[in-house]
Amino acid sequence: MEQACIRMVLVIMFRILSQFLCLIILLSVAHAASAVEHHIDLTFPESLDYVEVEIRLAYPVRSLKARNAYSDLFLRFPQACDSSEAIDYRDSRLYLYRSVTCLNYRMRLLQKQDRRAFSLNSTTMVSTPAEWLFLPGLRASDSVLITVKKHAQHELSVPWEVIDAGKQTYRLRASPQSADGLVIIGAFEQDYIQHKGTTLRVAYLPGRKIDKPTMRDWLQQTVDNVSQVYGRFPHPSPQIIVSPSASSWSRQRSPVPFGRVVRDYGESVQFYIDQRQSLKQFNADWTATHEFSHLLLPYVKWKNRWLSEGFASYYQNILMARNGFYTEQSAWQKLHDGFMRGKRAVPELSPNAAAQGSWGGTMKIYWSGAALAFLADVQLRELSNHTKSLDTALDALQRCCLPSTRSWSGSQLMRKLDQLSETTVFSDLYTRYANNDEFVPFEQAYAKLGIEIKNQKVVLKSEPKYRKYRASLLEKKENN
């Protein structure tokens, strides 16, 4: 009798436990299927030496993580909102002793060091949220609504999507986190440049006097250059950071010695400039067109970055020609010279192998991808009687998939472009050349375009069929 009672109790307990586990699973599935929105309040004091953070989560958590490994060294007073209960922190992670939905802390701000830029003064803080923002894992459907409180005289520049500029409200989503994004706050000049459906949120970092009218005209022109791909700029409102170059970089005699794109909870483009040069010199420089052209693609993983660098290198020349900054002759000569530099660089390595990091492989990385973009462009036009092109494939990519919240492999990007163009052009080229030391045979397309090479100089045939074909690649387009 006693054993029967024990068995009955065990059966009941097992049924209760099973039902409880089923409930937990159902709740987990429901949570995984639904988008969530977290809320964060940021408060920056006038001194700019720290930031106060309050996080209100959509569901209880036991830990949160910052991206930088040393974040816990500058963390102060972490606690749950409803108690002064201490929170443990180590290895860039907050560990809570119970599940909570609200916590706050203070984080010391550190000036982001940048050897390329002119030194900043103490009135402007350039920092990265990777150091002071602790978050749960974000899926593509999740978001974080951020509200910022700051001193009335301070300007603010962030990479996040603007929800309400007057109320300083922004939305943060998952991102590839290609590098550390920047938040700039303090005494600096800011501008909003609207150009044919795009708003550039421009921050001019202090250090040297910058001629804003020149910068405005140059950035507008560069937006127009990249809008020549499919009639509009690929991003509605990126953060743009213009940094006066350090003296060592300004000696390179380029108006824009360096630029970079950062995909970190938003998309930012940073230019390092020599502010002493003229508008004509800025407009003739290809760097900004190259960097903005990166926004035509999602972030491509480091091991396949020859595709993203290559597409941008191809378009920097095509677009500068479409808007009249290069002649037809100079555009094709610049492309041919680039292809030859790529062909000569580390000939024993494939593009994927060169992208892993190799001495002398830079030209292989940039120009093998450019040659693939060129060949794909010509093949698409040939297959479709000129109704399809690389332009139309990237137009469809932007409409469906950009900005993207994730990193893409090279093969994923090529398959998507195949799907959007209804061909196999991209995957066929990628499969053949990505892991092959044979350089992409750009010469195949020259004959179709009436391009001959004599002593490494481009000669353009003048027959109407060739002129018309080349013009289809370089003709100026009307922006939408």
Side-chain angles (χ1 to χ4, degrees):
M1 183 69 179
E2 182 177 342
Q3 291 180 345
C5 290
I6 292 173
R7 284 197 298 270
M8 183 178 297
V9 170
L10 290 174
V11 168
I12 294 173
M13 290 178 64
F14 178 77
R15 288 176 178 173
I16 292 173
L17 180 60
S18 299
Q19 292 173 351
F20 178 74
L21 291 175
C22 288
L23 179 61
I24 293 296
I25 292 171
L26 289 173
L27 289 173
S28 299
V29 170
H31 169 248
S34 60
V36 299
E37 183 174 78
H38 308 290
H39 292 259
I40 293 179
D41 290 340
L42 302 176
T43 303
F44 294 91
E46 184 178 2
S47 61
L48 298 179
D49 54 351
Y50 64 87
V51 59
E52 291 183 345
V53 183
E54 179 171 293
I55 303 174
R56 299 183 301 282
L57 298 155
Y59 49 82
V61 300
R62 292 289 300 271
S63 70
L64 297 171
K65 182 174 175 56
R67 290 222 315 279
N68 282 18
Y70 53 83
S71 293
D72 55 339
L73 298 176
F74 307 100
L75 182 67
R76 299 291 182 271
F77 318 124
Q79 61 182 34
C81 296
D82 59 357
S83 74
S84 58
E85 181 180 7
I87 294 175
D88 189 19
Y89 51 98
R90 61 185 184 276
D91 301 326
S92 72
R93 187 178 290 275
L94 297 178
Y95 292 93
L96 295 89
Y97 296 109
R98 57 187 173 86
S99 296
V100 302
T101 58
C102 180
L103 67 156
N104 50 59
Y105 57 87
R106 176 181 291 186
M107 179 71 76
R108 177 186 169 192
L109 292 177
L110 298 178
Q111 191 77 269
K112 190 76 171 173
Q113 299 301 312
D114 190 342
R115 63 185 176 85
R116 300 185 184 96
F118 194 81
S119 297
L120 293 172
N121 55 41
S122 60
T123 62
T124 303
M125 173 60 67
V126 178
S127 69
T128 173
E131 293 177 349
W132 44 260
L133 205 53
F134 289 84
L135 291 170
L138 296 179
R139 302 163 304 172
S141 59
D142 295 344
S143 64
V144 181
L145 195 67
I146 298 179
T147 301
V148 178
K149 299 176 183 178
K150 62 180 181 62
H151 189 268
Q153 299 302 313
H154 285 168
E155 296 287 340
L156 176 69
S157 174
V158 299
W160 315 317
E161 176 189 356
V162 179
I163 301 301
D164 189 325
K167 295 181 179 180
Q168 300 290 318
T169 305
Y170 308 91
R171 177 166 284 117
L172 175 156
R173 297 187 185 277
S175 70
Q177 300 172 355
S178 64
D180 288 345
L182 299 179
V183 166
I184 306 163
I185 186 167
F188 66 94
E189 291 189 272
Q190 195 160 203
D191 198 6
Y192 296 88
I193 300 177
Q194 295 184 344
H195 187 68
K196 299 181 179 178
T198 294
T199 300
L200 302 183
R201 299 177 286 130
V202 186
Y204 299 104
L205 294 189
R208 289 193 170 112
K209 183 175 176 57
I210 291 177
D211 183 51
K212 284 179 64 177
T214 294
M215 295 294 97
R216 172 179 279 264
D217 290 347
W218 163 60
L219 290 169
Q220 285 180 327
Q221 181 58 65
T222 309
V223 169
D224 192 61
N225 288 352
V226 179
S227 298
Q228 288 292 314
V229 177
Y230 40 70
R232 64 189 182 281
F233 195 70
H235 194 291
S237 187
Q239 179 196 35
I240 309 298
I241 302 170
V242 178
S243 303
S245 295
S247 299
S248 58
W249 284 78
S250 294
R251 294 194 200 103
Q252 298 184 27
R253 298 182 180 179
S254 169
V256 192
F258 186 75
R260 65 173 188 152
V261 176
V262 178
R263 326 279 184 123
D264 187 23
Y265 299 130
E267 296 193 322
S268 306
V269 186
Q270 185 168 15
F271 299 113
Y272 299 80
I273 65 155
D274 181 353
Q275 79 290 345
R276 299 168 298 181
Q277 302 206 36
S278 67
L279 175 60
K280 182 178 180 180
Q281 290 170 306
F282 273 98
N283 283 342
D285 187 88
W286 55 262
T287 308
T289 298
H290 176 98
E291 297 305 329
F292 277 164
S293 293
H294 276 298
L295 300 179
L296 297 165
L297 297 181
Y299 177 69
V300 181
K301 292 181 178 180
W302 182 255
K303 64 182 180 181
N304 306 129
R305 71 186 189 279
W306 62 278
L307 290 172
S308 59
E309 294 296 353
F311 276 50
S313 297
Y314 175 64
Y315 268 116
Q316 79 191 33
N317 293 286
I318 293 295
L319 298 177
M320 294 288 280
R322 286 182 186 176
N323 254 346
F325 295 105
Y326 292 168
T327 64
E328 180 187 20
Q329 177 72 37
S330 66
W332 291 116
Q333 187 67 56
K334 286 176 182 292
L335 279 168
H336 177 72
D337 291 345
F339 295 153
M340 292 306 297
R341 288 195 297 272
K343 192 172 185 177
R344 290 190 296 266
V346 289
E348 72 280 7
L349 296 181
S350 70
N352 275 344
Q356 302 302 312
S358 61
W359 180 260
T362 300
M363 292 298 101
K364 185 67 164 279
I365 292 168
Y366 278 71
W367 290 103
S368 56
L372 185 144
F374 172 50
L375 209 54
D377 200 357
V378 171
Q379 288 185 11
L380 287 170
R381 293 168 189 268
E382 289 285 310
L383 287 171
S384 66
N385 195 25
H386 293 271
T387 61
K388 295 178 182 178
S389 65
L390 187 57
D391 294 347
T392 62
L394 295 182
D395 181 4
L397 181 69
Q398 194 273 338
R399 293 180 186 277
C400 81
C401 307
L402 299 182
S404 177
T405 60
R406 63 181 177 88
S407 301
W408 294 51
S409 69
S411 58
Q412 287 172 334
L413 176 62
M414 296 296 99
R415 286 197 299 271
K416 190 63 179 181
L417 289 172
D418 276 348
Q419 176 191 344
L420 295 170
S421 63
E422 299 178 312
T423 70
T424 61
V425 164
F426 295 96
S427 290
D428 288 347
L429 288 171
Y430 183 81
T431 299
R432 180 170 179 181
Y433 298 109
N435 296 300
N436 191 335
D437 60 10
E438 177 191 0
F439 196 79
V440 181
F442 56 92
E443 302 93 342
Q444 288 182 2
Y446 280 1
K448 301 179 187 299
L449 297 172
I451 296 176
E452 293 184 334
I453 306 300
K454 296 182 179 180
N455 297 321
Q456 292 306 311
K457 298 297 181 183
V458 166
V459 177
L460 302 177
K461 292 184 177 180
S462 60
E463 288 90 335
K465 66 175 182 178
Y466 296 131
R467 293 172 60 187
K468 182 178 180 180
Y469 202 152
R470 294 194 303 267
S472 70
L473 274 78
L474 302 182
E475 64 186 354
K476 185 177 177 65
K477 299 181 180 181
E478 293 299 323
N479 288 345
N480 294 337

